[in-house]
Amino acid sequence: MNLEPINNALSQLRVLRSSVGQVFETLGTGVRTDHGEEGKEQKFLQELQELLNSVNANLKDFESCINDLTPSQTPLNLANSAYLSLETNLERQALYPHLVQSYKWHDKLHEYSTFASTLLQQNSLKRSYYTNTKRRRSLPSSHLATPQMVDNLIGSIHYNNMNLKIARPFMTNAILHITIARVLRAAVILKGLLIEWVTVKGYEESLLDGVDEQWTESRHQVFRKVQDHAHSAMLHFFSPTLPELAIRSFITWFRSYVTLFADPCKKCGKHLHNTLPPTWRDLRTLEPFHEECKQ
């Protein structure tokens, strides 16, 4: 589809709207002091006539651009999404652009996966035709841990000002709810003994009302920052061979946020920087730093 005529028509429309706006601005201002005292009405009418002639010329150019546009031969089939424009609820009207964006993302995903499949078929993953008879290392099975193993591990972790609670809305896989004093709440999504996702919210925000609440971000920027840092720590402590140590290390690190709003930054010595407290905790010393000061 050729987009140049459409761009030209939109550019000419902006010019037309600008010239019309100048006409209304001149009418609203009326006779100005720069018109002078002698013959000021005649000068005002002459200026208005020139602006109207400019609007007429721009309108003709816009009509010529419109005539150059050709309608698409193939109609756009929006299926059931075409009815979204008829929605009267203001909260649901924003669904249509998100749906279009998801369609575009899905098309790109399909395109990239096709390219990847083609490349993988052309390049064999085998380094040689030699068959190795050596015994391979056993694959990590920490994601296949039984619920009893998870319960025993979490039950053996005890810290002051921290409450740990396990829920299983997805059958075997557990969700660990962490409450640190009256500072924050967190939902740690587990698959066996592997941490897959962490959601951090404020103490007063809902986290236990439903499954959807455990995936949505906090409405406060400070807890969204803490959630980003928790994901970094989750990847840092990841260990498929020692999953128990990874979970213990992550909970120990996360427990340091009990002083989120109390301790100043170890580098600049300030409590607030860009209206935020020190949201980063060092992965070894657990000292608080602002995100800009941790470098």
Side-chain angles (χ1 to χ4, degrees):
M1 184 178 180
N2 188 10
L3 299 179
E4 184 176 358
I6 299 178
N7 293 330
N8 295 334
L10 292 176
S11 300
Q12 195 60 40
L13 177 61
R14 287 194 292 268
V15 174
L16 177 60
R17 293 182 62 183
S18 177
S19 60
V20 173
Q22 292 178 359
V23 172
F24 284 106
E25 183 179 357
T26 303
L27 289 174
T29 306
V31 179
R32 301 188 301 272
T33 57
D34 55 356
H35 290 147
E37 294 296 334
E38 184 178 355
K40 55 183 179 180
E41 291 83 1
Q42 186 66 26
K43 293 180 181 179
F44 172 73
L45 294 176
Q46 184 178 358
E47 180 183 359
L48 184 61
Q49 183 64 34
E50 293 177 355
L51 293 175
L52 292 175
N53 292 335
S54 177
V55 171
N56 190 19
N58 293 331
L59 180 60
K60 292 181 179 180
D61 294 339
F62 178 68
E63 289 177 350
S64 62
C65 292
I66 292 297
N67 294 331
D68 294 337
L69 296 177
T70 57
S72 177
Q73 300 297 330
T74 58
L76 298 176
N77 185 13
L78 299 179
N80 293 332
S81 61
Y83 296 103
L84 291 175
S85 60
L86 304 178
E87 177 61 51
T88 58
N89 191 351
L90 296 178
E91 297 179 355
R92 298 182 181 179
Q93 287 182 353
L95 179 61
Y96 181 74
H98 293 294
L99 184 60
V100 173
Q101 184 179 3
S102 65
Y103 283 158
K104 293 180 180 179
W105 182 85
H106 183 270
D107 292 339
K108 289 184 179 180
L109 177 63
H110 185 269
E111 182 181 359
Y112 293 157
S113 61
T114 303
F115 290 156
S117 176
T118 304
L119 292 176
L120 289 176
Q121 290 177 1
Q122 294 176 355
N123 301 282
S124 177
L125 298 179
K126 293 183 179 179
R127 296 183 179 180
S128 65
Y129 294 100
Y130 172 71
T131 303
N132 190 2
T133 58
K134 292 183 179 180
R135 185 178 180 181
R136 295 184 177 182
R137 292 186 304 173
S138 59
L139 297 176
S141 58
S142 54
H143 62 284
L144 302 176
T146 61
Q148 185 65 30
M149 296 174 58
V150 178
D151 293 343
N152 293 336
L153 174 61
I154 301 302
S156 62
I157 301 176
H158 300 282
Y159 287 107
N160 294 330
N161 300 323
M162 174 182 281
N163 183 24
L164 303 178
K165 181 180 178 181
I166 296 178
R168 286 187 171 84
F170 308 116
M171 300 300 291
T172 57
N173 293 329
I175 297 180
L176 176 61
H177 295 284
I178 303 177
T179 303
I180 300 180
R182 298 180 64 86
V183 179
L184 56 83
R185 302 175 187 270
V188 181
I189 312 298
L190 299 175
K191 185 175 184 181
L193 291 176
L194 296 181
I195 301 177
E196 286 195 330
W197 189 260
V198 180
T199 301
V200 180
K201 293 188 176 183
Y203 183 80
E204 79 286 354
E205 293 184 273
S206 60
L207 190 61
L208 304 177
D209 295 342
V211 177
D212 295 338
E213 295 290 339
Q214 300 167 5
W215 296 95
T216 56
E217 293 183 345
S218 172
R219 64 176 180 269
H220 303 294
Q221 183 181 4
V222 58
F223 297 114
R224 293 197 298 269
K225 287 287 186 182
V226 174
Q227 179 173 328
D228 294 339
H229 299 330
H231 290 164
S232 301
M234 173 186 69
L235 298 176
H236 174 79
F237 294 118
F238 172 73
S239 177
T241 56
L242 298 173
E244 296 88 352
L245 179 61
I247 292 182
R248 290 180 181 273
S249 301
F250 176 81
I251 294 179
T252 301
W253 173 87
F254 193 72
R255 191 254 176 192
S256 62
Y257 282 101
V258 67
T259 58
L260 174 62
F261 300 104
D263 289 348
C265 176
K266 288 295 182 181
K267 185 175 182 179
C268 66
K270 298 180 180 179
H271 285 85
L272 295 178
H273 182 74
N274 293 332
T275 68
L276 289 177
T279 57
W280 171 255
R281 295 297 184 269
D282 188 83
L283 297 173
R284 292 187 178 181
T285 62
L286 306 182
E287 294 179 341
F289 292 93
H290 293 115
E291 187 176 11
E292 295 80 5
C293 299
K294 68 177 182 178
Q295 302 296 335

